[in-house]
Coordinates of all heavy atoms in Angstrom, one line a residue:
Chain B
K106 N -331.5 28.9 101.3 CA -331.9 30.1 102.1 C -332.4 29.7 103.5 O -333.1 28.8 103.6 CB -333.1 30.8 101.3 CG -333.5 32.1 102.0 CD -334.7 32.7 101.4 CE -335.1 33.9 102.1 NZ -336.4 34.4 101.7
I107 N -331.9 30.4 104.4 CA -332.2 30.2 105.8 C -332.9 31.5 106.3 O -332.3 32.6 106.2 CB -331.0 29.9 106.7 CG1 -330.3 28.6 106.1 CG2 -331.4 29.7 108.1 CD1 -328.9 28.6 106.3
N108 N -334.1 31.3 106.8 CA -334.9 32.5 107.2 C -335.3 32.3 108.7 O -335.8 31.3 109.0 CB -336.0 32.7 106.3 CG -337.0 33.7 106.8 OD1 -338.0 33.5 107.4 ND2 -336.6 35.0 106.5
V109 N -335.1 33.3 109.4 CA -335.7 33.3 110.8 C -336.4 34.6 111.0 O -335.9 35.7 110.8 CB -334.5 33.2 111.8 CG1 -335.1 33.4 113.3 CG2 -333.7 32.0 111.7
K110 N -337.7 34.5 111.4 CA -338.5 35.6 111.7 C -338.5 35.8 113.2 O -338.7 34.8 114.0 CB -340.0 35.5 111.2 CG -340.1 35.6 109.7 CD -341.5 35.8 109.3 CE -341.6 36.2 107.8 NZ -341.1 35.0 107.0
S111 N -338.3 36.9 113.7 CA -338.2 37.1 115.2 C -339.6 37.1 115.8 O -340.5 37.6 115.2 CB -337.4 38.3 115.5 OG -337.9 39.4 114.8
G112 N -339.6 36.8 117.0 CA -340.9 36.7 117.7 C -340.8 37.7 118.9 O -340.2 38.7 118.9
N113 N -341.5 37.2 120.0 CA -341.6 38.1 121.1 C -340.4 38.0 122.1 O -340.2 39.0 122.9 CB -342.9 37.7 121.9 CG -344.1 37.9 121.1 OD1 -344.2 38.8 120.3 ND2 -345.1 37.0 121.3
V114 N -339.7 36.9 121.9 CA -338.5 36.8 122.8 C -337.3 36.7 121.9 O -337.3 36.3 120.8 CB -338.6 35.6 123.7 CG1 -339.5 35.9 124.9 CG2 -339.0 34.4 122.9
S115 N -336.2 37.1 122.5 CA -334.9 36.8 121.8 C -334.5 35.4 121.8 O -334.6 34.7 122.9 CB -333.8 37.6 122.5 OG -334.1 39.0 122.5
T116 N -334.2 34.8 120.7 CA -333.9 33.4 120.7 C -332.6 33.1 119.9 O -332.2 33.9 119.0 CB -335.0 32.6 120.0 OG1 -335.3 33.2 118.7 CG2 -336.2 32.5 120.9
V117 N -332.1 31.9 120.0 CA -331.0 31.4 119.2 C -331.6 30.2 118.4 O -332.1 29.3 119.0 CB -329.8 31.0 120.0 CG1 -328.7 30.4 119.1 CG2 -329.2 32.1 120.8
K118 N -331.5 30.3 117.1 CA -332.0 29.2 116.3 C -330.8 28.6 115.5 O -329.9 29.3 115.1 CB -333.0 29.6 115.3 CG -334.1 30.5 115.9 CD -335.5 29.9 115.7 CE -336.5 30.8 116.3 NZ -337.6 30.1 116.8
D119 N -330.8 27.3 115.5 CA -329.6 26.6 114.9 C -330.0 25.8 113.6 O -331.1 25.3 113.6 CB -329.0 25.6 115.8 CG -328.6 26.3 117.1 OD1 -328.0 27.4 117.0 OD2 -328.8 25.7 118.2
L120 N -329.0 25.6 112.8 CA -329.2 24.7 111.7 C -327.9 24.0 111.6 O -326.8 24.6 111.5 CB -329.5 25.5 110.3 CG -329.5 24.6 109.1 CD1 -330.8 23.7 109.2 CD2 -329.6 25.4 107.8
L121 N -327.9 22.6 111.6 CA -326.7 21.9 111.5 C -326.8 21.0 110.3 O -327.6 20.1 110.2 CB -326.6 21.0 112.8 CG -325.3 20.2 112.9 CD1 -324.0 21.0 112.7 CD2 -325.2 19.5 114.3
L122 N -325.9 21.2 109.3 CA -325.9 20.5 108.1 C -324.7 19.5 108.1 O -323.7 19.8 108.7 CB -325.8 21.4 106.9 CG -326.9 22.4 106.8 CD1 -326.5 23.4 105.7 CD2 -328.2 21.8 106.5
E123 N -324.9 18.4 107.5 CA -323.8 17.4 107.5 C -323.6 16.8 106.1 O -324.6 16.5 105.4 CB -324.0 16.4 108.6 CG -322.9 15.4 108.8 CD -323.2 14.4 109.9 OE1 -323.9 13.4 109.6 OE2 -322.7 14.6 111.0
Y124 N -322.4 16.5 105.8 CA -322.1 15.7 104.6 C -321.1 14.7 104.9 O -320.1 14.9 105.6 CB -321.6 16.6 103.4 CG -321.3 15.9 102.2 CD1 -322.3 15.6 101.3 CD2 -320.0 15.4 101.9 CE1 -322.1 14.9 100.1 CE2 -319.8 14.7 100.7 CZ -320.8 14.4 99.8 OH -320.6 13.7 98.7
T125 N -321.4 13.4 104.5 CA -320.6 12.3 104.8 C -319.8 11.8 103.6 O -320.4 11.7 102.6 CB -321.5 11.1 105.4 OG1 -322.4 11.7 106.3 CG2 -320.7 10.0 106.0
F126 N -318.6 11.6 103.8 CA -317.8 11.0 102.7 C -316.8 10.1 103.2 O -316.4 10.1 104.4 CB -317.2 12.1 101.8 CG -316.2 12.9 102.5 CD1 -314.8 12.7 102.4 CD2 -316.5 14.0 103.3 CE1 -313.8 13.5 103.0 CE2 -315.6 14.8 103.9 CZ -314.3 14.5 103.8
N127 N -316.4 9.2 102.3 CA -315.4 8.1 102.7 C -314.0 8.5 102.2 O -313.9 8.9 101.0 CB -315.9 6.8 102.0 CG -315.4 5.6 102.7 OD1 -314.7 5.8 103.7 ND2 -315.7 4.4 102.3
Y128 N -313.1 8.5 103.1 CA -311.7 8.8 102.6 C -310.8 7.5 102.8 O -310.7 7.0 103.8 CB -311.1 9.9 103.5 CG -309.8 10.4 102.9 CD1 -309.7 11.2 101.8 CD2 -308.6 10.0 103.5 CE1 -308.5 11.5 101.3 CE2 -307.4 10.3 103.0 CZ -307.3 11.1 101.9 OH -306.1 11.5 101.4
T129 N -310.3 7.1 101.6 CA -309.6 5.8 101.6 C -308.1 5.9 101.2 O -307.5 4.8 101.0 CB -310.3 4.9 100.6 OG1 -310.3 5.5 99.4 CG2 -311.7 4.5 101.0
F130 N -307.6 7.1 101.2 CA -306.2 7.2 100.8 C -305.3 7.5 102.0 O -305.7 7.7 103.1 CB -306.0 8.2 99.7 CG -306.9 8.0 98.5 CD1 -308.0 8.8 98.3 CD2 -306.7 6.9 97.7 CE1 -308.8 8.5 97.2 CE2 -307.5 6.7 96.6 CZ -308.6 7.5 96.4
N131 N -303.9 7.6 101.6 CA -303.0 8.1 102.7 C -303.3 9.5 103.1 O -304.0 10.2 102.4 CB -301.6 8.0 102.1 CG -301.1 6.6 101.9 OD1 -301.7 5.7 102.3 ND2 -300.0 6.5 101.2
P132 N -302.8 9.9 104.2 CA -303.1 11.3 104.7 C -302.6 12.3 103.7 O -301.5 12.2 103.2 CB -302.3 11.4 106.0 CG -302.1 10.0 106.4 CD -302.0 9.2 105.2
P133 N -303.4 13.3 103.3 CA -303.0 14.3 102.4 C -302.2 15.4 103.2 O -302.3 15.3 104.5 CB -304.3 14.9 101.9 CG -305.2 14.7 103.0 CD -304.8 13.5 103.7
K134 N -301.5 16.3 102.6 CA -300.9 17.4 103.3 C -301.8 18.5 103.5 O -301.8 19.2 104.5 CB -299.6 17.8 102.5 CG -298.5 16.9 102.5 CD -297.2 17.6 102.3 CE -296.0 16.7 102.4 NZ -295.6 16.1 101.1
R135 N -302.7 18.7 102.5 CA -303.4 20.0 102.5 C -304.8 19.8 102.1 O -305.2 18.9 101.3 CB -302.7 20.9 101.5 CG -303.3 22.3 101.4 CD -302.7 23.1 100.3 NE -303.4 24.3 100.1 CZ -303.3 25.1 99.0 NH1 -302.5 24.8 98.0 NH2 -304.0 26.2 98.9
F136 N -305.7 20.6 102.7 CA -307.1 20.6 102.3 C -307.5 22.1 102.4 O -306.8 22.9 103.0 CB -308.0 19.7 103.1 CG -308.0 20.1 104.6 CD1 -308.8 21.1 105.1 CD2 -307.2 19.4 105.5 CE1 -308.8 21.4 106.4 CE2 -307.2 19.8 106.8 CZ -308.0 20.8 107.3
S137 N -308.6 22.4 101.8 CA -309.1 23.8 101.9 C -310.6 23.8 101.6 O -311.1 22.8 101.1 CB -308.3 24.7 100.9 OG -308.8 24.5 99.6
G138 N -311.2 24.9 101.9 CA -312.6 25.0 101.7 C -313.1 26.4 101.4 O -312.4 27.4 101.7
K139 N -314.2 26.5 100.8 CA -314.8 27.8 100.5 C -316.2 27.8 100.9 O -317.0 26.8 100.7 CB -314.8 28.0 99.0 CG -313.4 28.4 98.4 CD -313.5 28.7 96.9 CE -312.2 28.8 96.3 NZ -312.2 28.6 94.9
I140 N -316.6 28.8 101.7 CA -318.0 28.9 102.1 C -318.6 30.2 101.6 O -318.4 31.3 102.2 CB -318.0 28.9 103.7 CG1 -317.3 27.6 104.2 CG2 -319.5 28.8 104.2 CD1 -317.1 27.6 105.7
P141 N -319.3 30.2 100.5 CA -319.9 31.4 100.1 C -321.2 31.6 100.8 O -322.0 30.7 101.0 CB -320.2 31.1 98.6 CG -319.9 29.7 98.4 CD -319.5 29.1 99.7
F142 N -321.4 32.8 101.3 CA -322.7 33.1 102.0 C -323.0 34.5 101.9 O -322.2 35.4 101.5 CB -322.6 32.6 103.5 CG -321.6 33.4 104.3 CD1 -321.9 34.6 104.9 CD2 -320.3 32.9 104.5 CE1 -321.0 35.4 105.6 CE2 -319.4 33.7 105.2 CZ -319.7 34.9 105.8
K143 N -324.3 34.8 102.3 CA -324.7 36.2 102.3 C -325.6 36.3 103.5 O -326.5 35.5 103.8 CB -325.5 36.4 101.0 CG -326.0 37.9 100.9 CD -326.8 38.0 99.6 CE -327.6 39.3 99.6 NZ -328.4 39.4 98.4
V144 N -325.4 37.3 104.3 CA -326.2 37.6 105.5 C -327.0 38.9 105.3 O -326.4 39.9 104.9 CB -325.3 37.7 106.7 CG1 -326.1 38.1 107.9 CG2 -324.6 36.4 106.9
E145 N -328.3 38.8 105.6 CA -329.1 40.0 105.5 C -329.9 40.1 106.8 O -330.7 39.2 107.2 CB -330.1 39.8 104.4 CG -330.7 41.1 103.9 CD -331.6 40.8 102.7 OE1 -331.1 40.8 101.6 OE2 -332.8 40.7 102.9
I146 N -329.7 41.1 107.6 CA -330.3 41.3 108.9 C -331.3 42.5 108.8 O -330.8 43.7 108.7 CB -329.3 41.5 110.0 CG1 -328.4 40.3 110.0 CG2 -330.0 41.7 111.3 CD1 -327.3 40.4 111.0
N147 N -332.6 42.3 108.7 CA -333.5 43.3 108.7 C -334.1 43.5 110.1 O -335.2 43.0 110.4 CB -334.7 43.0 107.7 CG -334.2 42.7 106.3 OD1 -333.3 43.4 105.9 ND2 -334.7 41.7 105.7
H148 N -333.3 44.1 110.9 CA -333.7 43.9 112.3 C -333.1 45.1 113.1 O -332.2 45.8 112.7 CB -333.1 42.6 112.8 CG -334.0 41.9 113.7 ND1 -334.3 42.3 114.9 CD2 -334.8 40.8 113.5 CE1 -335.1 41.4 115.5 NE2 -335.4 40.5 114.6
A149 N -333.6 45.1 114.3 CA -333.0 46.0 115.3 C -331.6 45.6 115.6 O -331.2 44.4 115.3 CB -333.9 46.1 116.5
L150 N -330.9 46.5 116.2 CA -329.5 46.2 116.6 C -329.4 45.0 117.6 O -330.3 44.9 118.4 CB -328.8 47.4 117.2 CG -327.4 47.7 116.8 CD1 -327.3 47.9 115.3 CD2 -326.9 48.9 117.6
G151 N -328.5 44.1 117.3 CA -328.3 43.1 118.3 C -328.4 41.7 117.8 O -327.8 40.7 118.3
S152 N -329.0 41.5 116.6 CA -329.1 40.2 116.0 C -327.8 39.8 115.4 O -327.1 40.7 114.9 CB -330.2 40.1 115.0 OG -331.4 40.3 115.6
Y153 N -327.5 38.6 115.3 CA -326.3 38.2 114.6 C -326.4 36.8 114.1 O -327.2 36.0 114.5 CB -325.0 38.3 115.5 CG -325.0 37.4 116.7 CD1 -324.6 36.1 116.5 CD2 -325.2 37.8 118.0 CE1 -324.5 35.2 117.5 CE2 -325.2 36.9 119.0 CZ -324.8 35.6 118.8 OH -324.7 34.8 119.9
V154 N -325.5 36.5 113.2 CA -325.4 35.2 112.5 C -324.0 34.7 112.7 O -323.0 35.5 112.7 CB -325.7 35.3 111.0 CG1 -325.5 34.0 110.3 CG2 -327.0 35.8 110.8
R155 N -323.8 33.4 113.0 CA -322.5 32.8 113.1 C -322.4 31.5 112.3 O -323.3 30.7 112.4 CB -322.2 32.6 114.6 CG -320.8 32.2 114.8 CD -320.5 32.2 116.3 NE -319.1 31.9 116.6 CZ -318.7 31.7 117.8 NH1 -319.5 31.8 118.9 NH2 -317.4 31.5 118.0
I156 N -321.4 31.4 111.5 CA -321.3 30.2 110.7 C -320.0 29.5 111.1 O -318.9 30.1 111.2 CB -321.2 30.6 109.2 CG1 -322.5 31.3 108.8 CG2 -321.0 29.4 108.3 CD1 -322.5 31.9 107.4
R157 N -320.1 28.2 111.3 CA -318.9 27.5 111.6 C -318.9 26.2 110.8 O -319.9 25.7 110.3 CB -319.0 27.1 113.1 CG -318.5 28.2 114.0 CD -318.7 27.9 115.4 NE -320.1 28.1 115.8 CZ -320.6 28.1 117.0 NH1 -319.8 27.8 118.0 NH2 -321.9 28.3 117.3
C158 N -317.7 25.8 110.5 CA -317.5 24.6 109.7 C -316.5 23.7 110.4 O -315.5 24.1 111.0 CB -317.0 24.9 108.4 SG -316.7 23.5 107.3
S159 N -316.9 22.4 110.5 CA -315.9 21.5 111.2 C -315.8 20.2 110.5 O -316.7 19.8 109.7 CB -316.3 21.3 112.7 OG -317.7 21.0 112.7

Side-chain angles (χ1 to χ4, degrees):
Chain B
K106 183 186 177 190
I107 300 148
N108 172 262
V109 174
K110 288 199 170 63
S111 53
N113 298 329
V114 282
S115 304
T116 52
V117 178
K118 311 238 180 211
D119 302 318
L120 176 68
L121 183 53
L122 302 173
E123 188 180 77
Y124 181 81
T125 311
F126 64 97
N127 205 358
Y128 187 76
T129 56
F130 304 110
N131 289 349
K134 286 204 178 96
R135 183 184 171 196
F136 61 83
S137 75
K139 282 181 191 163
I140 307 171
F142 65 84
K143 180 180 167 188
V144 173
E145 199 179 275
I146 300 176
N147 303 318
H148 221 287
L150 220 58
S152 296
Y153 67 78
V154 175
R155 188 171 184 185
I156 300 172
R157 276 170 285 187
C158 180
S159 50

